[in-house]
Amino acid sequence: MRTRRKSAFGNALRDHGIAGAWGFAEATFFFVVPDVWTSWVGLRRPKRALGTTVSALGGAMAGGAVTYWWARKVAANTSRKVLVKVPAITDAMISEVEQEIAESGAASLLRGPTRGIPYKLYARAAGLQRTPLVTFLAWSVPGRMIRFVVVTAAVSGIAAMGRRRLPGISERSISTVFWICWGAFYAVFIPLKSRRGSSSAQQSAGT
């Protein structure tokens, strides 16, 4: 019994650690969202998965603070050139976020997830425009947490429903469908964002 509890604790610690590290990485220069990990945990342990969203949030806020301070220390053009190399980030998207932060402040973070705009761009823009770090981090909580919880809970619920409706389905099949869905999402999302960014840049150049 003690060995089993120790193993469960170790697994939980690992899941939370990965969630936190992933959240930090995605808030800096990584491009795959931590929702992938938290929803993966949710396939088998929904309650723990919801807990890992808190760890992902903590990591994201730490990474956001790093990006914020980095943007304050380097030239605006330097940070722009670095971030535009990240998949699914375009020059037009960076300019759009700068304008949003200038007009609406850190509250514009709430619109980012609904349009697939990376959190790191808001962190950069907030740093450039000297938005108070405390204000930026405060808006980061709903700006990050809502999507983390919704995606994680949705995947956990779909997996549970699949097991009820298809009692003979194997865990391997569930995992395969999971990875196919996330792979398909990024296979569509990255080219789509890149094309839209190119179109926006061309329109701006023509005006």
Side-chain angles (χ1 to χ4, degrees), residues 76-77 79-81 83-84 88-104 108 111 115 117-118 120-122 124-126 128-129 196-197 200-202 204-205:
N77 195 45
S79 59
R80 178 183 288 264
K81 286 181 178 179
L83 289 176
V84 81
I89 291 179
T90 63
D91 195 67
M93 187 185 295
I94 293 173
S95 297
E96 180 182 350
V97 173
E98 287 180 358
Q99 183 176 352
E100 285 186 8
I101 290 289
E103 294 176 352
S104 305
S108 58
R111 297 199 294 268
R115 294 178 297 140
I117 296 180
K120 59 178 70 68
L121 298 190
Y122 289 96
R124 171 189 176 272
L128 280 177
Q129 297 177 29
R196 284 183 177 178
S200 298
Q202 290 173 1
S204 298

Side-chain angles (χ1 to χ4, degrees), residues 48-179:
R48 181 187 297 173
L50 289 176
T52 62
T53 63
V54 178
S55 297
L57 172 65
M61 292 174 68
V66 169
T67 301
Y68 173 98
W69 284 112
W70 171 67
R72 292 189 62 164
K73 297 298 182 181
V74 303
N77 195 45
T78 298
S79 59
R80 178 183 288 264
K81 286 181 178 179
V82 171
L83 289 176
V84 81
K85 295 178 181 179
V86 177
I89 291 179
T90 63
D91 195 67
M93 187 185 295
I94 293 173
S95 297
E96 180 182 350
V97 173
E98 287 180 358
Q99 183 176 352
E100 285 186 8
I101 290 289
E103 294 176 352
S104 305
S108 58
L109 269 162
L110 297 177
R111 297 199 294 268
T114 64
R115 294 178 297 140
I117 296 180
Y119 173 64
K120 59 178 70 68
L121 298 190
Y122 289 96
R124 171 189 176 272
L128 280 177
Q129 297 177 29
R130 298 298 195 268
T131 300
L133 180 60
V134 173
T135 301
F136 169 71
L137 292 178
W139 281 105
S140 295
V141 176
R144 297 275 77 196
M145 197 63 172
I146 292 173
R147 196 198 67 204
F148 289 170
V149 171
V150 169
V151 172
T152 302
V155 172
S156 299
I158 291 171
M161 184 173 63
R163 292 186 184 97
R164 288 195 300 269
R165 296 289 180 86
L166 303 169
I169 192 170
S170 67
E171 292 301 314
R172 183 175 182 178
S173 296
I174 292 175
S175 297
T176 299
V177 171
F178 173 88
W179 290 114

Side-chain angles (χ1 to χ4, degrees), residues 183-193 195:
F185 170 78
Y186 274 102
V188 172
F189 177 77
I190 292 176
L192 181 63
K193 282 294 180 181
R195 285 198 297 270

